[in-house]
């Protein structure tokens, strides 16, 4: 062809120029590589924020930015979830941790605790439902005798004397705050833990209030922390997170149960993702490098050629990184995959070149210069054509609204030419300088690349062309059916490592409606608009409730204040303050009386559960006596204090917090604290309405229904559910658009270059079928399509086009049983190139990062189908569609 002839002439002059001064050219390349590394390290960064990757100028993104601008207090923050065995311990730990972090101005610019405000401590009872508050009033009235007696003697003696009287009395309900046997079981368990060296803290908030004081998740506390970022590090928030962990270690009390602090939130999730990606990618990279080296050794049978290939690949990666630093400056979680694409396609170019050079040496003896010239002439036209068609397929993703894949298309498409240029420039020079590899194939009388497998494959594909074609048609029908069952999962949380603390904590928050971040947000221009919008939203069947600034003015305040006054009167003198626990008392006499009361009461019991409870309680009390007798002062006193703390340590705090709630006053809109108001009413006068769903939004149908219903009333509704839903739609639309453009552009270019409809169809058929079979395979593996693995399609398209062009060109000259195409350097280059590409991605399939793992799996499956379609299907259908060209018989088949 005229174009191929022109390319060969150009390649001839190019190879002559390269050999003129190879040492100077290689030195220049190394110097340029040094400056490229220096520039790239300073100017190329990675941004893990996925918010702006998809349709940045679309309406849903504008709505998100408007919301974040008006209410940006929690943007770029760490969310600390404090958890322990009791709500009292949790609150105390949150208070200490918040104070420690607020003092650390080197790492944090702002610390906010939602439950820290004195306003809510004083008026918290007003925010309970009237029914709940009434129930709590009844519970408090029942507990009043217990509270009165323990306040007179706040020690183990006073506590056990109440138990003694409760057991001896006919009516026990007035002596203890809850069912006697239930309380005995809890006390027994606490004593058992303490006696066995564990730490425990009985929660009197749960015992007295029976969960009426606090809402769900009362055992958790939250702190929002705005860290200072150190962008000089790969993990810019790591110093701040390390400071948090150090502060958590300091607030732990060895005499109390451990307090767990989970670090999550937007920044925490991004940090763990980057750390996991770095660790997983590093491990996968080491695995891939070792595997690639092994494959290259098998392919070349030469350490020197392997070294030349790796050096060429390294230089290609360096200059591709330089291009990325200049073109985009900032990589994202999607575009960073261009590096792996470079490894796969870049090393394939080098393999084709080195195998042709290897075969030329075998054919022509030790004439190194002639072998290099011949390799440049033979490989350049097809490699340039491959790079051109593949880059068009990748460039088709540039105009899409998915910024991540758009930049990937730009970088991967351009990097093909960079890698090809390095291959055709530096690799010949390296081969000229390095010693000549050993010659062995013809000396043994073997044909280069000959093997039993290649001979069997050549015979199989040509002899059974029709059955292979019909079998492929059947598989295509099955795959078309399966493609409609492909699942999608565009929830970014599901891409991350599920074992990191940020993801664990985030998913725990999702389980409770009141803490779930999967809510919608609507902004209203005025108070009247906000109230009208809330009324409309309340009528939707998918909406559970709405929260806004108006909810901070409690309903039915007059009635609730009356109930609170009644509770104060019920407690009487104890409503003023609760004393601290007494120290230095000897509980042995009260324990002995307690055991005697149990012995008296036990024979009268008939219920097996009550008998077991009393027997267990007696056993624990006897064990306490044994410990007291076995210990000497001051150790005996320490043990008594430990028992008293575990049983009564939280009681003064709970009672004083309750008494503070008796000071509640009527709340007006103007009395709401500023730090609360600014989270619901912006400086620009926008009212925030948070909308909670009734159903689980992990179900796509529920997600769609919730968003559709709300947006029918409030089109500008935003927040995480909208981001997930709109992102999914935008990504799918972008890929549909790009794939159509790419396939069309590749087909037109192939038709223009090869001037043959048959050739064009032969190249495109394996490409399309491999993509179809890959998508169908995700159904069998249970792998949903997500933000990460969807990039497999453009990468596979590049490899598929390359292989299709190589194979069709070879089939034109070797389509007969006398000439085995699988023995040629072209076929071997495709095979070993595919193996090295698989090795680049297969290691990723074992990454803890779910997105990267799914990408590695899908690409590995895709390469398998590409090679199957190229090596088995394409020769079979070519046998039916092509006629072999009459060529001059040559010994060389490479």
């Amino acid at each position: 062809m005229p174009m191929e002839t022109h390319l060969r002439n150009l390649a001839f002059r190019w190879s002559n120029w390269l050999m003129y001064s190879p040492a100077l050219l290689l030195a220049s390349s190394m110097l340029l590589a040094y400056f490229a590394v220096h520039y790239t390290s300073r100017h190329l960064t990675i941004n893990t924020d996925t918010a702006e990757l998809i349709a940045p100028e679309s309406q849903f993104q504008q709505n998100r930015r408007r919301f974040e601008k008006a209410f940006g207090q929690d943007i770029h923050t760490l969310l600390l979830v404090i958890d322990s065995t009791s709500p009292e311990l949790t609150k105390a730990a949150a208070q200490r941790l918040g104070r420690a972090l607020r003092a650390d101005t080197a790492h944090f610019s702002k610390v906010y605790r939602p439950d820290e405000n004195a306003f809510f401590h004083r008026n918290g009872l007003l925010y309970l439902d009237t029914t709940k508050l009434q129930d709590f009033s009844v519970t408090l009235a029942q507990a009043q005798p217990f509270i009165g007696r323990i306040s007179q003697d706040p020690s183990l003696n006073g506590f056990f004397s109440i138990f003694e009287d409760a057991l001896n009395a006919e009516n026990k309900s007035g002596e203890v705050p809850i069912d006697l046997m239930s309380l005995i079981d809890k006390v027994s368990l606490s004593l058992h833990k303490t006696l066995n060296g564990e730490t425990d803290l009985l929660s009197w908030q749960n015992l007295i209030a029976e969960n009426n004081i606090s809402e769900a998740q009362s055992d958790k506390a939250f702190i929002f922390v705005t860290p200072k970022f150190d962008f000089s590090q790969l993990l810019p928030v790591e110093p701040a997170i390390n400071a948090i962990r150090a502060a958590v270690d300091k607030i732990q009390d060895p005499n109390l149960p451990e307090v767990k602090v989970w670090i999550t939130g937007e920044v925490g999730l991004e940090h763990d993702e980057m750390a996991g990606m770095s660790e997983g990618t590093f491990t996968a990279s080491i695995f891939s490098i070792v595997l690639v080296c092994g494959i290259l050794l098998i392919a070349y049978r030469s350490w020197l050629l392997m070294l030349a290939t790796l050096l060429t690949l390294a230089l290609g990666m360096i200059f591709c990184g330089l291009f990325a630093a200049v073109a985009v400056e900032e990589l994202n979680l999607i575009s960073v995959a261009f590096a792996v694409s470079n490894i796969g396609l870049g090393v394939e170019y080098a393999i084709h070149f080195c195998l042709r050079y290897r075969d030329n040496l075998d054919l022509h003896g030790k004439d190194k210069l002639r072998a290099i010239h011949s390799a440049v002439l033979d490989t350049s036209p097809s490699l340039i054509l491959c790079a051109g068609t593949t880059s068009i397929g990748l460039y088709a993703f540039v105009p899409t609204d998915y910024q991540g894949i758009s930049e990937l298309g730009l970088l991967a498409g351009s990097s093909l030419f960079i890698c090809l240029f390095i291959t055709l420039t530096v690799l010949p020079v390296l081969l000229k300088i390095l010693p000549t590899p050993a010659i062995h194939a013809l000396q043994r009388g073997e044909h280069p690349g000959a093997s039993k497998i290649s001979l069997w494959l050549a015979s199989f594909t040509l002899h059974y062309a029709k059955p292979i074609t019909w079998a492929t048609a059947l598989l295509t029908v099955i795959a078309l059916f399966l493609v409609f069952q492909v699942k999608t999962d565009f929830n970014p949380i599901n891409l991350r490592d599920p074992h990191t603390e940020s993801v664990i904590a985030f998913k725990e928050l999702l389980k409770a409606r009141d803490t779930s971040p999967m809510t919608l947000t609507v902004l209203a221009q005025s108070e009247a608009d906000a109230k009208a919008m809330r009324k409309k939203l309340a009528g939707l069947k998918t909406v559970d409730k709405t929260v806004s600034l108006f909810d901070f003015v409690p309903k039915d305040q007059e009635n609730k204040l009356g109930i609170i006054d009644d509770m104060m009167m019920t407690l009487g003198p104890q409503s003023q303050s609760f004393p601290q626990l007494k120290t230095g008392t000897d509980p042995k006499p009260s324990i002995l009386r307690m055991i005697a009361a149990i012995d008296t009461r036990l024979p009268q019991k008939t219920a097996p559960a009550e008998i077991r409870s009393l027997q267990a309680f007696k056993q624990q009390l006897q064990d306490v006596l044994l410990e007291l007798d076995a210990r000497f002062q001051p150790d005996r006193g320490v043990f008594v204090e430990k028992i008293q703390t575990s049983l009564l340590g939280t009681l003064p705090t709970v009672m004083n917090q309750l008494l503070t709630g008796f000071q509640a006053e009527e709340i007006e809109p103007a009395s709401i604290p500023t730090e609360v108001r600014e989270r619901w009413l912006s400086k620009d006068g926008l009212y925030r309405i948070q909308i909670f769903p009734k159903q689980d939004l992990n179900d796509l149908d529920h997600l769609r229904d919730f968003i559709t219903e709300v947006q029918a009333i409030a089109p500008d509704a935003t927040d995480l559910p909208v981001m997930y839903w709109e992102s999914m739609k935008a990504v799918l639309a972008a890929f549909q658009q790009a794939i159509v453009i790419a396939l069309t552009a590749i087909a037109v270019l192939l038709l223009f270059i090869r001037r043959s409809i048959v050739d064009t169809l032969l190249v495109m058929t394996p490409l399309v079928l491999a993509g179809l079979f890959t998508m169908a395979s995700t159904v069998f593996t249970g792998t949903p399509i997500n933000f990460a693995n969807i990039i497999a399609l453009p990468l596979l398209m590049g490899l598929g086009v390359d292989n299709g062009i190589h194979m069709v060109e070879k089939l034109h000259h070797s389509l007969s049983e006398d000439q085995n195409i699988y023995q040629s350097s072209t076929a071997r280059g495709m095979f070993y190139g595919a193996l090295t590409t698989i090795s680049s991605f297969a290691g990723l399939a074992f990454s803890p990062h779910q997105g990267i793992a799914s990408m590695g799996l899908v690409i590995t499956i895709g390469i398998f189908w590409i090679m199957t379609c190229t090596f088995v299907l394409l020769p079979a259908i070519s046998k039916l569609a092509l006629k072999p060209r009459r060529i001059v018989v040559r010994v060389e088949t490479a």
Side-chain angles (χ1 to χ4, degrees):
M1 295 183 295
M3 179 173 291
E4 184 175 350
T5 302
H6 178 72
L7 288 176
R8 287 179 65 87
N9 292 334
L10 182 63
F12 178 77
R13 292 193 293 270
W14 177 255
S15 62
N16 286 333
W17 180 80
L18 290 177
M19 297 300 105
Y20 181 74
S21 182
L24 179 61
L25 193 147
L26 188 61
S28 301
S29 300
M30 295 301 176
L31 183 62
L32 288 175
Y34 170 79
F35 287 111
V37 170
H38 180 74
Y39 182 89
T40 303
S41 63
R42 289 178 172 268
H43 295 85
L44 186 63
T45 59
I46 297 178
N47 182 9
T48 60
D49 184 6
T50 58
E52 294 288 347
L53 291 185
I54 303 165
E57 301 305 320
S58 63
Q59 186 60 48
F60 80 90
Q61 291 281 26
Q62 294 179 29
N63 293 338
R64 176 188 61 83
R65 285 191 286 267
R66 180 169 174 249
F67 167 52
E68 291 182 352
K69 181 180 178 182
F71 300 98
Q73 297 92 337
D74 299 333
I75 305 301
H76 304 306
T77 59
L78 292 163
L79 172 60
L80 310 186
V81 182
I82 299 96
D83 192 7
S84 73
T85 56
S86 67
E88 299 93 334
L89 180 58
T90 298
K91 290 178 182 178
Q95 184 177 8
R96 295 178 62 197
L97 181 60
R99 182 173 63 248
L101 298 180
R102 198 172 283 113
D104 187 358
T105 56
H107 294 105
F108 310 105
S109 57
K110 186 177 180 182
V111 177
Y112 171 71
R113 276 182 53 212
D115 61 346
E116 189 177 26
N117 200 294
F119 173 84
F120 293 115
H121 293 168
R122 185 173 65 254
N123 299 299
L125 293 175
L126 292 177
Y127 289 98
L128 296 176
D129 291 337
T130 304
T131 303
K132 272 194 170 184
L133 185 60
Q134 187 66 55
D135 292 342
F136 174 58
S137 176
V138 173
T139 302
L140 193 63
Q142 294 173 348
Q144 191 278 331
F146 171 84
I147 296 172
R149 287 192 57 180
I150 196 67
S151 64
Q152 294 173 6
D153 186 6
S155 67
L156 287 178
N157 283 325
F159 183 55
F160 286 133
S161 68
I162 296 173
F163 271 87
E164 178 188 351
D165 292 344
L167 280 173
N168 292 328
E170 291 293 331
N171 182 7
K172 307 175 294 301
S173 60
E175 298 294 338
V176 294
I178 62 173
D179 175 70
L180 177 61
M181 291 303 159
S182 176
L183 180 58
I184 283 176
D185 288 340
K186 290 180 172 61
V187 172
S188 295
L189 179 61
S190 182
L191 288 174
H192 177 76
K193 288 182 177 180
T194 305
L195 287 167
N196 285 276
E198 300 180 47
T199 54
D200 189 57
L201 203 61
L202 203 60
S203 173
W204 283 96
Q205 176 174 315
N206 292 335
L207 288 172
I208 295 178
E210 293 181 333
N211 291 324
N212 284 322
I213 285 184
S214 56
E215 299 294 335
Q217 302 297 317
S218 63
D219 56 336
K220 289 182 172 59
F222 304 95
I223 303 178
F224 293 89
V225 180
T226 305
K228 293 182 178 179
F229 295 83
D230 183 3
F231 290 105
S232 64
Q233 299 188 22
L234 177 63
L235 303 173
V237 78
E238 187 169 39
I241 289 180
N242 289 338
I244 291 173
R245 291 187 173 127
V248 170
D249 290 339
K250 289 182 180 178
I251 67 168
Q252 300 292 345
D253 189 333
N255 298 316
L256 297 176
E258 181 186 7
V259 177
K260 177 64 180 176
V261 179
W262 303 85
I263 304 175
T264 185
E266 174 193 3
V267 176
L269 287 165
E270 290 179 2
H271 170 79
D272 280 351
E273 182 167 35
M274 278 299 297
M277 286 179 64
S278 301
E279 180 181 354
T281 304
F282 176 78
T283 304
S285 298
I286 298 299
F287 172 79
S288 297
I289 290 172
V290 173
L291 199 56
V292 166
C293 290
I295 293 169
L296 292 177
L297 276 176
I298 295 172
Y300 297 152
R301 292 162 293 171
S302 168
W303 286 91
L304 295 172
L305 293 182
M306 182 194 74
L307 179 62
T309 299
L310 293 179
L311 287 175
T312 303
L313 180 62
L315 281 175
M317 294 294 294
I318 289 172
F319 289 112
C320 287
L322 174 64
F323 175 78
V326 174
V328 299
E329 296 183 354
E330 187 177 73
L331 297 176
N332 53 61
L333 292 178
I334 303 300
S335 62
V336 74
F338 92 97
V340 187
S341 170
N342 292 345
I343 295 175
L345 294 173
V347 78
E348 184 182 357
Y349 296 153
I351 288 174
H352 277 287
F353 190 93
C354 286
L355 285 177
R356 183 60 58 91
Y357 169 69
R358 161 94 268 177
D359 289 352
N360 289 341
L361 287 176
D362 287 342
L363 290 169
H364 304 301
K366 292 190 177 182
D367 191 344
K368 180 194 296 186
L369 198 58
R370 181 182 176 186
I372 294 174
H373 276 299
S374 181
V376 173
L377 292 175
D378 292 339
T379 60
S380 295
S382 59
L383 292 182
I384 292 172
L385 177 59
C386 288
T389 52
T390 304
S391 64
I392 287 178
L394 292 170
Y395 285 146
F397 289 85
V398 173
T400 65
D401 250 353
Y402 189 0
Q403 181 181 339
I405 203 67
S406 173
E407 292 182 357
L408 174 62
L410 173 65
L411 296 177
S414 302
S415 295
L416 290 178
F417 295 106
I418 296 173
C419 290
L420 179 59
F421 179 80
I422 297 297
T423 299
L424 297 178
T425 303
V426 177
L427 186 54
V429 172
L430 282 172
L431 296 179
K432 175 68 169 63
I433 295 175
L434 292 174
T436 304
I439 302 172
H440 47 80
L442 290 182
Q443 291 175 353
R444 296 198 310 264
E446 298 177 359
H447 194 282
S451 70
K452 292 182 179 179
I453 295 178
S454 68
L455 292 172
W456 175 85
L457 194 57
S459 175
F460 175 77
T461 55
L462 296 182
H463 272 296
Y464 300 98
K466 287 185 178 180
I468 290 172
T469 304
W470 283 111
T472 302
L474 178 62
L475 285 176
T476 302
V477 173
I478 297 173
L480 285 171
F481 171 75
L482 290 175
V483 159
F484 292 99
Q485 302 180 38
V486 172
K487 296 181 179 180
T488 57
D489 182 4
F490 288 90
N491 185 340
I493 295 299
N494 293 338
L495 297 184
R496 296 176 162 98
D497 181 359
H499 301 106
T500 57
E501 69 169 310
S502 60
V503 173
I504 293 173
F506 189 89
K507 289 185 175 180
E508 280 295 315
L509 296 179
L510 286 175
K511 292 179 180 178
R513 286 183 179 178
D514 291 335
T515 60
S516 173
M518 291 296 284
T519 61
L520 291 178
T521 296
V522 173
L523 302 182
Q525 298 288 341
S526 65
E527 181 178 342
D529 291 343
K531 290 181 177 179
M533 179 60 68
R534 288 190 64 190
K535 187 175 181 181
K536 292 179 182 178
L537 293 169
L540 299 179
K541 64 180 181 179
T542 59
V543 173
D544 180 48
K545 67 176 181 179
T546 61
V547 176
S548 67
L549 181 64
F550 313 119
D551 291 297
F552 291 90
V553 180
K555 299 177 182 178
D556 198 18
Q557 292 191 63
E558 184 176 353
N559 189 18
K560 291 177 182 177
L561 288 170
I563 295 173
I564 292 173
D565 288 340
D566 290 343
M567 287 193 289
M568 289 181 63
M569 294 179 63
T570 299
L571 286 182
Q574 287 79 38
S575 65
Q576 301 304 314
S577 64
F578 192 89
Q580 294 299 312
L581 298 178
K582 291 182 179 178
T583 58
T585 60
D586 184 5
K588 186 174 181 178
S590 61
I591 293 175
L592 290 172
R593 290 194 302 270
M594 185 73 233
I595 293 174
I598 293 174
D599 289 337
T600 302
R601 195 70 177 172
L602 196 57
Q604 304 172 16
K605 294 293 182 179
T606 58
E610 292 186 357
I611 293 174
R612 286 195 299 270
S613 295
L614 289 174
Q615 288 175 339
F617 191 26
K618 177 182 176 180
Q619 181 62 52
Q620 299 303 325
L621 292 174
Q622 289 175 334
D623 289 344
V624 170
L625 290 177
L626 288 175
E627 283 291 326
L628 288 174
D629 292 339
R631 294 172 183 257
F632 300 97
Q633 292 293 358
D635 185 44
R636 192 170 188 271
V638 172
F639 175 71
V640 171
E641 291 301 316
K642 187 174 182 180
I643 294 287
Q644 181 167 285
T645 300
S646 67
L647 296 181
L648 298 173
T650 66
L651 184 59
T653 301
V654 170
M655 289 305 304
N656 284 316
Q657 287 176 351
L658 175 62
L659 298 180
T660 300
F662 289 167
Q663 302 172 15
E665 299 176 349
E666 185 173 356
I667 298 174
E668 300 289 341
S671 61
I672 298 174
T674 302
E675 63 180 359
V676 175
R677 176 187 295 272
E678 67 184 6
R679 290 174 177 267
W680 299 94
L681 177 61
S682 72
K683 295 178 181 179
D684 298 331
L686 293 175
Y687 285 79
R688 175 189 176 189
I689 304 172
Q690 190 175 15
I691 310 162
F692 291 79
K694 278 185 179 178
Q695 297 174 304
D696 181 8
L697 297 192
N698 286 314
D699 186 308
L700 274 180
D701 292 333
H702 295 165
L703 179 66
R704 181 193 61 240
D705 294 343
F706 181 48
I707 294 172
T708 302
E709 273 205 348
V710 171
Q711 287 188 336
I713 296 174
D716 293 338
T718 185
D719 227 331
L720 282 183
V722 171
M723 295 300 299
Y724 292 171
W725 179 254
E726 294 294 341
S727 296
M728 180 185 70
K729 293 197 300 182
V731 168
L732 293 177
F735 269 87
Q736 290 171 359
Q737 169 195 346
I739 288 174
V740 170
I741 294 174
L743 292 176
T744 303
I746 290 172
V748 170
L749 181 62
L750 286 171
L751 189 60
F752 173 75
I753 294 175
R754 302 201 66 87
R755 313 277 182 171
S756 169
I757 295 178
V758 174
D759 281 9
T760 301
L761 290 175
L762 287 175
V763 173
M764 298 299 295
T765 298
L767 175 63
V768 174
L769 290 180
L772 181 65
F773 295 155
T774 300
M775 296 299 290
S777 297
T778 62
V779 178
F780 285 106
T781 60
T783 306
I785 300 301
N786 53 47
F787 286 119
N789 63 31
I790 199 170
I791 69 171
L793 296 179
L795 300 181
L796 293 174
M797 185 178 298
L799 184 63
V801 171
D802 271 9
N803 285 353
I805 292 173
H806 284 306
M807 184 60 79
V808 168
E809 178 65 23
K810 201 66 192 172
L811 286 168
H812 270 296
H813 300 285
S814 305
L815 193 59
S816 74
E817 297 182 23
D818 296 331
Q819 294 175 303
N820 186 350
I821 58 172
Y822 301 105
Q823 294 178 356
S824 67
S825 65
T826 299
R828 286 182 288 127
M830 292 162 54
F831 175 74
Y832 289 117
L835 284 184
T836 54
T837 305
I838 286 178
S839 69
S840 301
F841 287 99
L844 298 179
F846 302 98
S847 170
H849 189 280
Q850 299 301 292
I852 292 177
S854 68
M855 180 178 68
L857 177 63
V858 171
I859 291 180
T860 301
I861 293 172
I863 294 174
F864 166 79
W865 283 117
I866 285 174
M867 298 308 296
T868 302
C869 291
T870 303
F871 276 77
V872 179
L873 174 61
L874 187 53
I877 60 176
S878 298
K879 175 71 180 296
L880 305 177
L882 292 178
K883 293 182 180 180
R885 296 178 181 175
R886 297 184 63 85
I887 58 174
V888 177
V889 177
R890 301 170 57 190
V891 176
E892 177 186 3
T893 63

